[in-house]
């Protein structure tokens, strides 16, 4: 049941806790922090796509201007339900301090972030309950860069940056498996140098960059594959009605409260070619 008992401290779950939950999830999730997060109150979100621009041409003075039309399409997102369930001691529940609420929010946010990232980097085709992941795209549907049989230098990433620019995209995030990121981190810029291949921006703490692009990690990226994204061309669509419910009956015998957070999320890829998949060739 919903948390409505009069003895339950109101500070434990403030009215805006649901929105606080998503706000906390975004920086924890590699997927959400690397894409354009939009919110909607509707069950379906439409993103307009121009697949072909209006055709401009040079025209002599007083000559007729030829008409042309843009070719229009759309990407459709239908937010799907994602839920997290956590068990809390009633001692924590009865602590009405803001710190207790923060602990609860971070617990659910971590679980939501993991599940969202897992779906985003999966091979789900979007026909089932989970949304379509990057791994569902065929190499021909996106931009693919082959990087040899092992990571040796930054050339594949430089190639990825310029391949994206060729189609009008600007990569601002690479996402790699931690094992691949570690390999890259131990590479040097050149033979005999102690300078690491991955540059660290002193103004941004421990942010790692390769070919000028931020490098993030997720265990859900297959080893040997690294994705490059233009965050303006990949969308995470979130329904506004995030809900949080508490129930004391589920864990009655352990004097604990079940807390459930439910959100609705989907991904949209209006410009699939802007997604770059850098992958090692089979040895």
């Amino acid at each position: 049941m919903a948390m409505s008992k009069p003895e339950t401290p109101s500070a434990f779950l403030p009215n805006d806790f649901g929105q606080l939950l998503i706000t906390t999830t975004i920086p924890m999730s590699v997927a959400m922090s690397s894409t354009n997060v939009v919110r909607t109150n509707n069950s379906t979100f439409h993103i307009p796509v121009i697949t072909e621009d209006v055709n401009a041409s040079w025209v002599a003075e007083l000559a007729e201007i030829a008409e042309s039309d843009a070719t229009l399409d759309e990407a459709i997102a239908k937010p799907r339900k994602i839920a997290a369930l956590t068990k809390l001691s009633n001692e924590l529940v009865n602590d009405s301090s803001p710190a207790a609420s923060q602990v609860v929010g971070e617990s659910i946010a971590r679980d939501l972030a993991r599940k969202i990232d897992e779906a985003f980097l999966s091979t789900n085709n979007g026909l089932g309950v989970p949304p379509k992941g990057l791994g569902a795209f065929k190499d021909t549907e996106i931009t693919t860069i082959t990087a040899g049989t092992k990571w040796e230098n930054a050339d594949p990433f430089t190639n990825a940056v310029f391949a994206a620019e060729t189609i009008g995209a600007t990569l601002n995030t690479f996402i790699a498996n931690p094992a691949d990121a570690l390999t890259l981190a131990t590479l040097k810029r050149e033979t005999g140098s102690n300078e690491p291949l991955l540059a660290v921006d002193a103004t941004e703490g421990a942010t790692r960059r390769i070919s000028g692009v931020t490098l993030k990690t997720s265990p859900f990226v297959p080893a040997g594959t690294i994705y490059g994204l233009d965050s303006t061309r990949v969308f995470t669509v979130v329904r506004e009605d995030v809900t949080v419910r508490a129930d004391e009956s589920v864990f009655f015998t352990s004097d604990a409260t079940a807390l459930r957070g439910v959100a609705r999320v989907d991904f949209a890829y209006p410009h699939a070619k802007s997604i770059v998949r850098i992958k090692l060739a089979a040895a």
Side-chain angles (χ1 to χ4, degrees):
M1 62 180 180
M3 177 175 279
S4 58
K5 290 179 177 293
E7 67 268 25
T8 302
S10 59
F12 175 65
L13 287 179
N15 293 332
D16 61 350
F17 192 86
Q19 292 307 309
L20 176 64
L21 183 61
I22 284 296
T23 302
T24 306
T25 301
I26 290 175
M28 291 183 176
S29 167
V30 171
M32 298 183 79
S33 63
S34 304
T35 59
N36 186 1
V37 178
V38 296
R39 305 192 185 197
T40 179
N41 288 317
N42 301 319
S43 60
T44 303
F45 186 78
H46 297 260
I47 301 171
V49 179
I50 297 179
T51 57
E52 187 174 343
D53 289 327
V54 171
N55 185 27
S57 59
W58 297 101
V59 182
E61 193 168 342
L62 296 180
E64 290 292 322
I65 302 173
E67 293 184 13
S68 65
D69 295 321
T71 302
L72 304 179
D73 199 355
E74 64 178 2
I76 301 175
K78 297 181 178 180
R80 298 112 183 276
K81 182 169 69 175
I82 180 171
L85 184 70
T86 188
K87 180 180 181 181
L88 304 170
S89 70
N90 282 334
E91 288 80 3
L92 176 60
V93 172
N94 293 326
D95 182 356
S96 60
S97 70
S101 296
Q102 185 68 24
V103 169
V104 174
E106 289 180 357
S107 175
I108 298 179
R110 279 192 297 271
D111 200 16
L112 288 176
R114 280 193 295 268
K115 299 301 189 299
I116 290 171
D117 287 351
E118 184 177 16
F120 182 64
L121 296 162
S122 73
T123 58
N124 295 328
N125 59 15
L127 300 179
V129 175
K132 183 175 182 178
L134 294 179
F137 286 100
K138 298 177 181 178
D139 286 347
T140 55
E141 295 176 312
I142 58 179
T143 300
T144 305
I145 304 290
T146 302
T149 58
K150 63 180 181 179
W151 306 115
E152 295 181 308
N153 51 52
D155 289 354
F157 305 94
T158 302
N159 292 339
V161 169
F162 283 97
E165 287 185 2
T166 299
I167 55 175
T170 302
L171 298 188
N172 49 28
T173 303
F174 287 123
I175 308 176
N177 184 282
D180 290 319
L182 176 60
T183 298
L184 292 169
T186 58
L187 294 178
K188 308 305 177 188
R189 284 191 176 274
E190 57 186 32
T191 303
S193 171
N194 287 324
E195 187 177 1
L197 180 66
L198 296 186
V200 178
D201 191 334
T203 65
E204 298 182 4
T207 300
R208 296 178 292 266
R209 294 184 182 276
I210 186 167
S211 297
V213 178
T214 299
L215 176 66
K216 299 180 181 180
T217 63
S218 172
F220 302 114
V221 181
T225 296
I226 296 177
Y227 285 104
L229 303 177
D230 178 342
S231 62
T232 67
R233 301 183 182 221
V234 181
F235 289 75
T236 300
V237 181
V238 181
R239 279 285 296 266
E240 288 283 7
D241 54 344
V242 178
T243 59
V244 178
R245 297 288 185 268
D247 192 326
E248 296 180 351
S249 64
V250 177
F251 302 119
F252 176 79
T253 57
S254 58
D255 190 29
T257 294
L259 187 66
R260 184 189 69 207
V262 177
R264 287 169 175 79
V265 178
D266 197 9
F267 308 116
Y269 311 96
H271 189 193
K273 279 293 183 180
S274 70
I275 301 168
V276 182
R277 178 185 289 146
I278 307 170
K279 63 179 186 178
L280 295 178

